[in-house]
Amino acid sequence: MKKEIILVVGSSSWWKNIKYRKEAALKLRNLKKLWRFLDKKNLSTNNDSIDTKIYKKYYFYK
């Protein structure tokens, strides 16, 4: 059984970066209790948008 999840892991703003990293770490910690980590990949964003969030896709298996 496989699972993939997309999380916001950062931002260009220093205080948003801390916020997003903390939220992602909590979600990953809870997921790792039931699932095993397999891989992660950086997702590219559209350069035309104002959004400065950094996204990563995580893959898990049981």
Side-chain angles (χ1 to χ4, degrees):
M1 200 181 329
K2 293 184 179 180
K3 181 177 194 164
E4 59 184 50
I5 184 168
I6 298 173
L7 293 176
V8 180
V9 294
S11 179
S12 63
S13 170
W14 68 269
W15 62 272
K16 286 183 184 178
N17 192 33
I18 294 171
K19 173 188 166 189
Y20 291 138
R21 285 181 60 146
K22 186 182 291 185
E23 290 174 357
L26 288 173
K27 289 179 185 177
L28 287 173
R29 194 175 304 138
N30 289 334
L31 274 173
K32 286 184 179 180
K33 291 178 183 175
L34 302 174
W35 295 83
R36 293 195 180 263
F37 177 75
L38 182 64
D39 192 19
K40 70 178 174 183
K41 293 185 180 179
N42 292 335
L43 296 178
S44 60
T45 57
N46 187 0
N47 290 337
D48 296 335
S49 73
I50 299 173
D51 187 23
T52 60
K53 295 177 187 168
I54 301 168
Y55 296 95
K56 286 190 180 181
K57 185 182 275 191
Y58 292 89
Y59 299 96
F60 295 93
Y61 70 94
K62 259 189 179 175

